[in-house]
Amino acid sequence: MIITVTINPAIDKTAEIGAIHPRALNRLTKVEKDVGGKGINVSKAIAALGGSSVACGFLAGSTGRLIEELLREKGITPDFIRVSGETRTNLKLVEPGGYLTEINEQGPTVTEGELEALRNKLVSCASPETVFVLAGSRCPGVPEDIYRQLILAVKEKGSRVFLDADGPLFAKALEACPDVVKPNSFELAQYFGLEGEPSREEIVALGRRLVEKGVKLVCVSMGGEGACFFTEEGAWYAPSLPVEVRSTVGAGDTMAAALCYGLDQGMALEDCLRLALAASAGAVTTAGTKPPSRMLVDTLMEQVTLLPMA
Ligand SMILES: Nc1ncnc2c1ncn2[C@@H]1O[C@H](COP(=O)(O)OP(=O)(O)OP(=O)(O)O)[C@@H](O)[C@H]1O
Ligand SMILES: [Mg+2]
């Protein structure tokens, strides 16, 4: 069973706008709403691949109830801790030419008791058959070692943990040694204190260092440059696929989802890596964080080249 954890879910409200006029009345056209937050994006992509998952985390208010409803419609089981306040609605304004302005809320404040309730819920679901996906940022009240705490708690019961986070959340979580991590090249460089865009050689060296730390599978996504994968047995580079780019937002979440789904299905490692690359390429062809169809992913999978690295 796959359980995704989203600490700070959101309704992403995407609207088209002629041009943004500051300090004046702006009228929106074509408003669309979808559930968001990284763990939830992973659940959505798993569902599109044909898999199932339970979505956990914190939800509040009427926005929280709407999220539960939208998740059920997508075949995802919501199992959240209810907190007081209101789950955030993030406004994404798209101007002609695709220029994006984002206005994000902070999200509700979570208390120590509510954090405890989430920890208890996850531990009660944890077993060697459960895979946890911890993805995304936190909301007020949540400490920066939250993922470290959760990883230690569920690993004790034999679960595997998949981590997609950045900054201090990622750094602290690594102390608890998650099984799979998916930083992008910028997040990887940031963790090791490197300034700017790392070179391919640097990415390879740093990816290997994460394996030496005990992470079983390291996937470093490099946007339009493709991805590198590292395990104790080997390392691979996969160039990205030449697809028509519509929106790269959430491509990494889809990649994490495909890896997790493939591993949970017991697929061979190299097939999981191909699936991850193909699914992420499919994700950039869709609007916003909408996941690609399974049919598209299957077609793209035949085009993936996986090059072993010395
Ligand atoms: N322009 C592109 N063309 C083809 N494939 C792409 C492109 N951008 C991203 N991808 C695919 O998606 C994968 C993940 O992308 P990226 O490295 O941007 O993830 P990310 O920064 O974690 O994104 P997010 O956190 O928004 O989901 C890449 O490894 C690649 O396979
Ligand atoms: Mg990412």
Side-chain angles (χ1 to χ4, degrees), residues 23 61 74 81 97 159 201 230 234 241 252-253 261 268 287 291 298 304 306:
R23 285 171 238 113
K74 293 176 195 292
I81 303 293
S159 295
E201 289 70 31
F230 307 88
L241 299 181
D253 303 342
Y261 169 76
D298 286 340
V304 177
L306 206 53

Side-chain angles (χ1 to χ4, degrees), residues 27 36 51 74 121 134 137 139 143 193-194 200 220 228 231 261 293 299:
R27 290 193 195 278
K74 293 176 195 292
K121 183 187 283 290
L134 309 179
S137 58
C139 50
L194 239 71
R200 183 74 52 78
V220 183
C228 289
T231 71
Y261 169 76
S293 69
T299 310

Side-chain angles (χ1 to χ4, degrees), residues 119 134 143-155 161 163 168-178:
R119 251 192 315 266
L134 309 179
E144 62 183 24
D145 71 340
I146 179 69
Y147 287 155
R148 179 178 167 277
Q149 291 181 28
L150 296 178
I151 294 169
L152 290 174
V154 300
K155 276 189 82 167
V161 182
L163 174 75
L169 280 174
F170 180 66
K172 294 264 183 222
L174 274 181
E175 293 171 14
C177 203

Side-chain angles (χ1 to χ4, degrees), residues 43 57 66 89-90 133 248 296 302:
S43 275
L66 174 63
T89 297
N90 291 336
V133 181
T248 60
L296 175 61
E302 288 164 21

Side-chain angles (χ1 to χ4, degrees), residues 38 164 182-185 187 220-227 238-243 245 248-255 276-278 280-281 284:
K38 287 200 170 283
D164 184 5
K182 198 228 66 67
N184 61 30
S185 48
E187 291 159 353
V220 183
S221 64
M222 306 181 297
E225 297 291 304
S240 68
L241 299 181
V243 288
V245 180
T248 60
V249 184
D253 303 342
T254 301
M255 179 170 244
L277 208 287
S280 66
V284 306

Side-chain angles (χ1 to χ4, degrees), residues 185 188-189 194-206 222:
S185 48
L188 179 75
L194 239 71
E195 301 272 326
E197 191 62 36
S199 66
R200 183 74 52 78
E201 289 70 31
E202 285 170 327
I203 289 172
V204 172
L206 300 180
M222 306 181 297

Side-chain angles (χ1 to χ4, degrees), residues 176-278:
C177 203
D179 299 272
V180 187
V181 297
K182 198 228 66 67
N184 61 30
S185 48
F186 174 76
E187 291 159 353
L188 179 75
Q190 190 189 44
Y191 171 70
F192 284 104
L194 239 71
E195 301 272 326
E197 191 62 36
S199 66
R200 183 74 52 78
E201 289 70 31
E202 285 170 327
I203 289 172
V204 172
L206 300 180
R208 288 199 159 119
R209 274 176 68 184
L210 290 185
V211 173
E212 283 162 17
K213 279 179 179 287
V215 181
K216 293 199 185 73
L217 171 61
V218 176
C219 164
V220 183
S221 64
M222 306 181 297
E225 297 291 304
C228 289
F229 304 97
F230 307 88
T231 71
E232 265 197 342
E233 280 72 45
W236 297 263
Y237 164 63
S240 68
L241 299 181
V243 288
E244 197 177 315
V245 180
R246 187 128 177 244
S247 160
T248 60
V249 184
D253 303 342
T254 301
M255 179 170 244
L259 268 182
C260 185
Y261 169 76
L263 293 171
D264 188 57
Q265 291 284 303
M267 281 169 62
L269 177 67
E270 292 199 10
D271 290 336
C272 290
L273 307 186
R274 279 179 218 281
L275 183 71
L277 208 287

